[in-house]
Amino acid sequence: GKTIIKNISAKQSIGVGELLELLVLQAEMLELKANPNKRARGTIIESEISRGQGPVAWVLVQSGTLRVGDVFLAGETFGRVRSIHTARGENVQEAGPSTPVVVTGFSAPPGAGDAFIAVAEERTARAIAEKRSDYARRKAGVGARRITLEDFHDQMLAGQKNILNVVLKADVQGSVDVFESSLAKAGTSEVEVKVVHSGVGAINESDVMLASASNAVIIGFHVSASPKAQKLAEQHGVDVRTYRIIYEAIQEVRLA
């Protein structure tokens, strides 16, 4: 039919060149074109907090041209492009359509899949990002007191608790997504695992306060809690668990 099929092996260097030729041919036949002469639009592929650079994200520019200095909006975050790097680590001043690049200058790590849009004014981007962030916080809601995985297990045996609230932090957005889907599957018809907040980066004071207010357990993957957050967690009795292996975290939640 209309679907082109090509057997390839990147490991053995077989068929990759032919595949690229077929992609170009298909794009020409479907008349796939993007206008480079406008503000950039794209999609966030991945994000993380990098030492020395702060929040960074892999962005796929889908239309328009992204330039250093452009103001942008991405989900609940905004910023101004400080630098653009290609997949090979080359520093460039602009990126056109169909170009994947690493962008710095975010106010916070965006979510994978968020729309990336270059805008005219930073004031506009900031206002929209703050409204989205405020809506997300109100949608998450809050609870009443603190809990640990051991407490949750005891309350389950006593028939008192059937929802485990979790605050989830990881090193990159991809890990967050995998964790969220895995925790959702860890629940049963009698027990529900609810992620009240998830994000990229170290566990901070805001995460501890949210966990305290929503009676949640904090789970970190390949991240640690800041000294202030650790002290605050001890003061409020918030259970903070960090892991290097995702299956260990899922197993502990299942056991609880």
Side-chain angles (χ1 to χ4, degrees):
K2 296 180 180 179
T3 303
I4 294 177
I5 297 176
K6 176 63 185 174
N7 294 326
I8 70 163
S9 172
K11 191 172 182 179
Q12 299 177 20
S13 299
I14 298 174
V16 178
E18 291 86 340
L19 174 64
L20 294 175
E21 291 177 5
L22 291 172
L23 288 173
V24 172
L25 175 63
Q26 186 79 332
E28 291 178 356
M29 292 178 62
L30 296 175
E31 297 183 353
L32 301 179
K33 297 179 181 179
N35 179 12
N37 302 316
K38 65 175 186 177
R39 293 193 184 97
R41 278 181 171 268
T43 301
I44 302 294
I45 302 173
E46 183 60 281
S47 67
E48 68 174 5
I49 295 181
S50 173
R51 287 187 178 180
Q53 292 182 312
V56 302
W58 286 259
V59 180
L60 176 61
V61 181
Q62 294 169 304
S63 65
T65 300
L66 181 66
R67 297 178 175 85
V68 172
D70 284 354
V71 177
F72 61 83
L73 173 70
E76 299 174 25
T77 68
F78 70 99
R80 185 183 295 272
V81 179
R82 287 207 310 260
S83 66
I84 302 175
H85 292 85
T86 66
R88 294 186 176 133
E90 300 168 348
N91 190 11
V92 295
Q93 293 300 305
E94 61 180 37
S98 301
T99 306
V101 288
V102 180
V103 176
T104 64
F106 289 83
S107 60
D114 285 349
F116 179 93
I117 306 170
V119 297
E121 297 182 355
E122 185 172 346
R123 179 176 56 185
T124 302
R126 183 192 299 271
I128 296 174
E130 288 178 351
K131 283 185 178 180
R132 289 177 175 176
S133 181
D134 182 60
Y135 174 76
R137 283 195 298 269
R138 286 189 283 108
K139 187 177 180 181
V142 294
R145 50 176 294 278
R146 282 73 65 202
I147 194 171
T148 67
L149 287 181
E150 288 79 12
D151 291 339
F152 180 79
H153 178 70
D154 294 339
Q155 291 180 13
M156 274 299 303
L157 294 177
Q160 298 175 357
K161 194 80 176 175
N162 62 354
I163 298 178
L164 174 62
N165 291 329
V166 174
V167 173
L168 184 60
K169 297 298 289 286
D171 54 344
V172 295
Q173 186 63 39
S175 299
V176 172
D177 295 338
V178 171
F179 248 118
E180 286 196 86
S181 61
S182 299
L183 288 175
K185 294 175 183 176
T188 67
S189 59
E190 298 176 348
V191 188
E192 178 186 354
V193 180
K194 181 181 179 182
V195 178
V196 296
H197 172 70
S198 62
V200 175
I203 300 167
N204 54 39
E205 299 101 300
S206 298
D207 299 322
V208 175
M209 293 306 297
L210 176 61
S212 176
S214 57
N215 195 22
V217 175
I218 299 178
I219 293 179
F221 179 66
H222 278 227
V223 296
S224 59
S226 67
K228 289 184 178 180
Q230 288 178 344
K231 187 175 181 180
L232 193 64
E234 291 174 2
Q235 292 174 350
H236 288 264
V238 174
D239 190 20
V240 179
R241 309 279 180 117
T242 58
Y243 302 90
R244 307 295 294 178
I245 301 174
I246 190 170
Y247 303 107
E248 290 182 358
I250 302 302
Q251 182 66 13
E252 282 209 16
V253 172
R254 284 205 178 108
L255 289 173

